[in-house]
Amino acid sequence: MITSILHLLPMAGESGMFTVQQTVGSVLCCKCGILMAPNAANMCVKCLRSEVDITEGLQKHVIIIHCPECDCYLQPPRTWIKAQLESKELLTFCVKRLKNLNKVRLIHAEFIWTEPHSKRIKVKLKVQKEVLNGAVLEQAYMVEYVVQDQMCESCSRVQANPDQWVAAVQLRQHVSHRRTFFYLEQLILKHDAAVRAIRIKQMDRGIDFFFANRSHAVKFIEFIQKVVPIKSRNDKQLVSQDTKSNNYNYKYTFSVEICPICREDLVCLPPKLAASLGNLGPLVICTKISNSIALLDPLTLRHCFLDAEQYWRASFSSLLSSKQLVEYVVLDVDTISSEVNVGGSKYVMADVQVARVSDFGKNDTMFFVRTHLGHLLNPGDYALGYDLHAANSNDMEIDKYKGLVIPEVILVKKSYEEKRLKKRGKPRAWKLKSLNMEVDVSETRGRVDEEKMNNEYEQFLRDIEENPELRFNISLYRNKEYQPSEMASVTDGEDAPSVPLEELLDDLKISDEDVNDADDDDDDDEGMKE
């Protein structure tokens, strides 16, 4: 019925019939007498504010303690909270520092921009409270926080003596190269695993991490355990003690050893371990290292995964490492099987005829081998493999197998060395970040070690370009100094593997110019609600 009347009112006005216009009632303010909308207090907004101040008794000035070294704020009595300027964490911290705020209802809170060096933080709060005769008054006010700098306990200890660490993690791997540490460094940077380290030192066969708290070192070791197979042990040394209060200060040392098996290593499995894996191998290639070791038999495409506990129970070393790879040229390829997915990677069995590149022009020695790289190799390509025909191995595990037929060559990967010669000296379109590490000068041999490390780092960058799985877990950044050459793409033809541009990240740097000024108008947000 009401709906039909509402539809008839416009029609009545058009036909000239009389209609009653609805008006909003108004009353006079009981104090100043101005015309106003009726409310429970019968007062206008200005008179009601003059009678009642809902912000009375609330804090307008607060002092907060800030550590300039680690950018933390003190939450009394002893808790330090890390927060950036104008962040949600800092706003929550500032609001919680206010007393008697439970007497009103908090509606909104926001920062008012101040100069970063002014040591002042201003927060605008909007609160509501029920006043005379049930009327609800809403009012905005500003709280000023005075920032006083005072170093936290851990930072003051570091400033007094930088070597005053509490826990040290000694990360070691007993191999002749540092490629594992280059990869581990990128994982640590991506996940901010060493953000709590007060000092990082590069050693001869590893890296030392120093922490101001034992729990930080334990958390760091838990991260390392998730990305590489390790075993660890720890010890502690008494530094000082207070017998009256029964307080003791210790220095903790954690010795962490990484599995010496690396990617592309040739391994001879111990007989007992090979039997427990279903007579796998015994000559296998390590294809991937994570929290487990991925092993592949290149002659049968059988594979397995060993976790850290299985490896250290029957530990073994590599028969040949990637430094002993020999370059071969592919003469003929005969595919045997179709494409097979093994552990997330694709392989094709093939019989290949190869010859050593170093033998060209000297002899006619050729090898007929079976390989798992049939999907990558074509006649005329180059491949890297282990020359077991001429290798001199002292591995005791391989002597335990009676009647074992050892292949003359085991190919590991395709080689792009000839194509890379055309790009030698040219910058890459991407770059990596690195940890801020100190170098132990006492354990280095100057230019010799520096040249060796540069060669190993260059090999690590090539592995990233060739292996998409390797760069899946690390962050690559655009190189702003890189300028692509149009002539290079025309003359090079088939190019060497490279990182696609869509996989690169921008190295962002936020400056003070990007900070926008906040709105300082306080009067427009005030009003009264019933």
Side-chain angles (χ1 to χ4, degrees), residues 276-291:
S276 65
L277 297 174
N279 291 324
L280 179 71
L283 292 178
V284 293
I285 298 174
C286 178
T287 58
K288 186 178 179 182
I289 292 288
S290 57
N291 56 351

Side-chain angles (χ1 to χ4, degrees), residues 327 382 416-426 462 492 495-496:
E327 191 172 18
Y382 292 87
Y416 301 93
E417 187 64 29
E418 185 180 5
K419 297 174 183 177
R420 292 188 190 277
L421 290 175
K422 301 176 182 178
K423 285 191 169 185
R424 180 165 294 178
K426 298 180 182 179
R462 294 180 181 181
D492 287 352
D495 209 349

